[in-house]
Amino acid sequence: MQKFFVAGMPRTGSTLLATTLDQHPGIKMLGELFHPVARERSGPHAIVRSDGSTRFFDPNAEDGIEFLRNEVWPAPAPEAGAIGFKLFGDYLKAPTTERLFMRIFEAFPDTKLVTIWRNNLLDCLISRQVARASGKWMESAKARRSKVPAAVVSIDPIEAENFFKGYSDVKGFLDSLSKQVPSFAVDYDELVRDFAGVSARLFSFLELEKVPVKQALKKQAQFPQSHYVKNWKELREHFSSTDYEKYFID
């Protein structure tokens, strides 16, 4: 059994990646087992056992590593060729999971790391804000192309700056970690552009046979940035001559 987890941040393509991994017959792909919100851990991200019962992590009653050892990667190893889950970088600041990334590799040194990232952080922020406003967090690959944006939002410059900084800090951490452990980096835009090729290379990294998979979700942003953000020009001016200026591509 190959142990792995997918690391990234919200709105960087992790759901598309997870649905891709889940299509492989040799992979058991779990959700965000350490989600900071209890109802998310006990609901959509809980482990569903073969008898239909569920199991979820309780930070007040158990240690994260013991939870993984007992419920996710038990010995003897299950029949699945690979078992993984999602672990977002913002959990670095969550109680009981702030050292979880490093502790995983200390306790399970044969674990592999898969990172997913979206290089344009303004696209990430727009995706989050539009999803919050519209309530539409994902879109099936079979859905018809929309003729209008799902929502139009205003973005506060300070909120945007904090977002850029927070995501950049996590990216730095994941880049550093990737140099220390077996890792495979997935670029979201490349995954969308070359879905079959990236998927095949990822399966090889996990030491599994290549199998045909279908793109279950499609990129929701179908229009230029300014079509989604009312104050796009003001934001661009605010970040002019900063490190974040490069994200403003319309």
Side-chain angles (χ1 to χ4, degrees), residues 230-247:
K230 297 176 184 177
N231 59 330
W232 185 86
K233 290 183 178 179
E234 291 82 354
L235 276 177
R236 181 181 61 177
E237 180 63 27
H238 178 85
F239 289 106
S240 178
S241 300
T242 71
D243 292 340
Y244 307 131
E245 183 181 29
K246 61 188 176 185
Y247 300 139

Side-chain angles (χ1 to χ4, degrees), residues 126-180:
I126 292 173
S127 176
R128 186 186 73 174
Q129 300 300 77
V130 169
R132 284 178 174 176
S134 66
K136 193 174 183 179
W137 291 91
M138 62 185 71
E139 188 165 7
S140 168
K142 298 179 181 179
R144 293 183 178 181
R145 179 186 172 92
S146 176
K147 296 181 179 180
V148 296
V152 180
V153 299
S154 292
I155 297 178
D156 178 72
I158 302 303
E159 181 182 6
E161 186 168 356
N162 290 335
F163 181 91
F164 295 153
K165 185 179 185 306
Y167 269 51
S168 297
D169 288 346
V170 169
K171 180 65 160 58
F173 169 80
L174 293 178
D175 285 348
S176 176
L177 182 60
S178 295
K179 296 176 182 178
Q180 305 172 52

Side-chain angles (χ1 to χ4, degrees), residues 53-248:
S53 63
T54 59
R55 177 75 164 86
F56 60 91
F57 174 63
D58 181 357
N60 298 314
E62 59 191 328
D63 176 71
I65 296 300
E66 288 306 309
F67 174 78
L68 290 175
R69 182 174 285 118
N70 295 330
E71 302 294 338
V72 181
W73 298 324
E79 294 181 0
I83 300 178
F85 60 95
K86 287 167 51 172
L87 184 61
F88 283 163
D90 50 1
Y91 301 168
L92 291 168
K93 300 177 181 178
T96 76
T97 59
E98 62 270 10
R99 284 200 67 251
L100 188 56
F101 283 82
M102 299 310 300
R103 291 186 64 215
I104 287 174
F105 290 104
E106 291 167 0
F108 310 100
D110 57 339
T111 301
K112 290 188 174 183
L113 170 67
V114 178
T115 60
I116 175 78
W117 204 256
R118 195 171 182 174
N119 289 318
N120 190 311
L121 295 186
L122 179 57
D123 286 344
C124 287
L125 177 56
I126 292 173
S127 176
R128 186 186 73 174
Q129 300 300 77
V130 169
R132 284 178 174 176
S134 66
K136 193 174 183 179
W137 291 91
M138 62 185 71
E139 188 165 7
S140 168
K142 298 179 181 179
R144 293 183 178 181
R145 179 186 172 92
S146 176
K147 296 181 179 180
V148 296
V152 180
V153 299
S154 292
I155 297 178
D156 178 72
I158 302 303
E159 181 182 6
E161 186 168 356
N162 290 335
F163 181 91
F164 295 153
K165 185 179 185 306
Y167 269 51
S168 297
D169 288 346
V170 169
K171 180 65 160 58
F173 169 80
L174 293 178
D175 285 348
S176 176
L177 182 60
S178 295
K179 296 176 182 178
Q180 305 172 52
V181 301
S183 62
F184 183 92
V186 178
D187 177 275
Y188 170 74
D189 292 307
E190 183 184 3
L191 178 61
V192 172
R193 185 173 58 251
D194 182 20
F195 182 78
V198 173
S199 300
R201 293 194 294 275
L202 177 56
F203 294 148
S204 294
F205 169 73
L206 294 174
E207 301 178 35
L208 298 170
E209 64 177 339
K210 300 175 184 178
V211 299
V213 290
K214 296 181 179 180
Q215 185 170 334
L217 303 174
K218 69 178 180 181
K219 189 175 182 179
Q220 289 181 274
Q222 303 294 324
F223 302 95
Q225 293 174 346
S226 62
H227 287 215
Y228 294 98
V229 184
K230 297 176 184 177
N231 59 330
W232 185 86
K233 290 183 178 179
E234 291 82 354
L235 276 177
R236 181 181 61 177
E237 180 63 27
H238 178 85
F239 289 106
S240 178
S241 300
T242 71
D243 292 340
Y244 307 131
E245 183 181 29
K246 61 188 176 185
Y247 300 139
F248 289 80

Side-chain angles (χ1 to χ4, degrees), residues 36-50:
V37 179
R39 66 176 179 274
E40 291 289 332
R41 290 196 307 277
S42 62
H45 299 293
I47 296 173
V48 180
R49 292 169 166 166
S50 58

